[in-house]
Amino acid sequence: MQVKVYQDVLDANDRIAALNRVRLESLGLLTLNLIGSPGCGKTSLLERTLQELKAAGIRCGVIEGDLETSRDAERISACGVPAVQINTKGGCHLDAASVQRVLDDLPLTEMDVLFIENVGNLVCPAGFDLGEAGKVVVLSVTEGDDKPSKYPVIFRKASAALITKSDLLSHTDFNVDAAQRDMRAVNPPLPVMLLSARTGDGIAEWMGWILARTRRRSHG
Amino acid sequence: MQVKVYQDVLDANDRIAALNRVRLESLGLLTLNLIGSPGCGKTSLLERTLQELKAAGIRCGVIEGDLETSRDAERISACGVPAVQINTKGGCHLDAASVQRVLDDLPLTEMDVLFIENVGNLVCPAGFDLGEAGKVVVLSVTEGDDKPSKYPVIFRKASAALITKSDLLSHTDFNVDAAQRDMRAVNPPLPVMLLSARTGDGIAEWMGWILARTRRRSHG
């Protein structure tokens, strides 16, 4: 009974996600679903990413997911980028319907890249397609290099993995090679990038990854 | 329909949690349910805590929850403390039934404190009573001081909050006062302790909190 209901929920989600995907792709938008633990640095990374993309003439928009508050959408708006906040009111992930409801609140026809920052959670968001082109998993060095083995689902489904807060690497026991090896054990072709939103180290590679996937390369 | 099923699941969980609680309390055990994001330092904190409690003559046992691997139970066993691992195989939280199933695998009658390290997740575990005496929420300084406002549910339900990795505080923008203020906004009497499992700073206060709640004070 529970299993069947869960399956129905996922099927319903997939149908709406498919509608979102058709809509976003038909507008030429690259949509990326950022997934990682609370505090892994998703919003700080987004702030830096949006600045760099703006400088490259790429127009962005952001959907922010959190249980409560609009703090993240306010941080993104302060970057001069259109942002909407979804509050899940205790819910542990975004679903396709919640994204569908806010798409009209963004100037989609004037955007090249849509970032969706999911609720901070390395587990549940992995199961819910939102209609994105790809999931990007974010893991910070302060979380430990054992996480890819302990939480393999999202690493299996991701199109790219970002290891963030590299500026704190020397203060931790995080072994980049071990983390990368464990990520590739569950997802062999996964691109893994080590970076720091604070210092900018590694950001160029991440920019290159995004730019290679955007249809419109420059509006500068 | 979905809402009703969810309610049924929670009701069934609460019934089993009540059984667990009666069993654990009748044995004089203090059971603490540790909840926090992946990589917030729960296992490292446990290792340190178990050493300190052992030195104080307090006998402990541990239930470890993870999606996959038995790495954490192996780390705990290496401390000379009985530990069992629950693998949720993708599940985002422990439930009372999963705990009930492993209780027979621990020497409960020879223990004073049972720690349950939940799946790394700041959201879902908050909703599932396991039969514990109290929930302890763990937040690391590297996650950011905005988390109590953005993920208030677990802070509302917790009996204590631990701010971990204080040795990294100077490398972050984490504002301890702001975090504490936001925790107390949702849960005014919440005890908040700042500590580092690595340096031992603040561990004495945490020990004091545990010792004040154990029935049997010393077996040294």
Side-chain angles (χ1 to χ4, degrees), chain B residues 61-72:
Chain B
V62 176
I63 295 173
E64 284 288 342
D66 273 308
L67 270 65
E68 297 192 15
T69 85
S70 57
R71 290 189 187 193
D72 284 355

Side-chain angles (χ1 to χ4, degrees), chain A residues 72 120 142 150-151 165 171, chain B residues 72 120 142 150-151 165 198:
Chain A
D72 284 355
T142 52
K150 290 166 64 180
Y151 302 84
K165 306 192 189 181
H171 303 290
Chain B
D72 284 355
T142 50
K150 290 166 64 180
Y151 302 84
K165 305 191 188 181
R198 184 182 279 179

Side-chain angles (χ1 to χ4, degrees), chain A residues 1-2 5 9 37-40 42-43 65-69 71-72 75 89-92 117-124 140 142-147 149-153 156 165 167-168 171-173 181-182 198, chain B residues 1-2 5 9 37-40 42-43 65-69 71-72 75 89-92 117-124 140 142-147 149-153 156 165 167-168 171-173 181-182 198:
Chain A
M1 180 58 182
Q2 276 176 241
V5 170
V9 170
S37 304
C40 69
K42 295 183 293 300
T43 315
D66 273 306
L67 270 65
E68 296 192 16
T69 85
R71 288 189 189 192
D72 284 355
R75 283 173 63 181
K89 300 293 179 191
C92 54
E117 182 183 339
N118 221 305
V119 176
N121 185 332
L122 200 56
V123 185
C124 314
S140 57
T142 52
E143 291 173 74
D145 52 42
D146 57 344
K147 298 305 168 293
S149 291
K150 290 166 64 180
Y151 302 84
V153 183
R156 200 171 289 139
K165 306 192 189 181
D167 53 296
L168 294 177
H171 303 290
T172 72
D173 307 320
R181 186 190 62 228
D182 286 356
R198 185 183 278 179
Chain B
M1 179 62 181
Q2 278 176 238
V5 171
V9 170
S37 303
C40 68
K42 294 184 292 302
T43 315
D66 273 308
L67 270 65
E68 297 192 15
T69 85
R71 290 189 187 193
D72 284 355
R75 284 174 62 182
K89 301 291 178 193
C92 54
E117 183 182 337
N118 221 306
V119 176
N121 185 332
L122 200 56
V123 185
C124 314
S140 57
T142 50
E143 291 172 73
D145 53 40
D146 57 342
K147 298 306 169 292
S149 291
K150 290 166 64 180
Y151 302 84
V153 183
R156 200 171 288 137
K165 305 191 188 181
D167 53 296
L168 293 177
H171 303 290
T172 72
D173 307 320
R181 186 189 61 229
D182 287 356
R198 184 182 279 179

Side-chain angles (χ1 to χ4, degrees), chain A residues 14 16-26 129-133:
Chain A
D14 283 349
I16 299 172
L19 291 174
N20 289 348
R21 184 169 285 111
V22 166
R23 180 171 177 188
L24 294 164
E25 288 188 352
S26 70
D129 184 10
L130 305 179
E132 70 274 358

Side-chain angles (χ1 to χ4, degrees), chain A residues 35-51:
Chain A
I35 297 177
S37 304
C40 69
K42 295 183 293 300
T43 315
S44 297
L45 174 72
L46 258 183
E47 289 172 321
R48 180 90 191 208
T49 302
L50 295 169
Q51 284 170 14

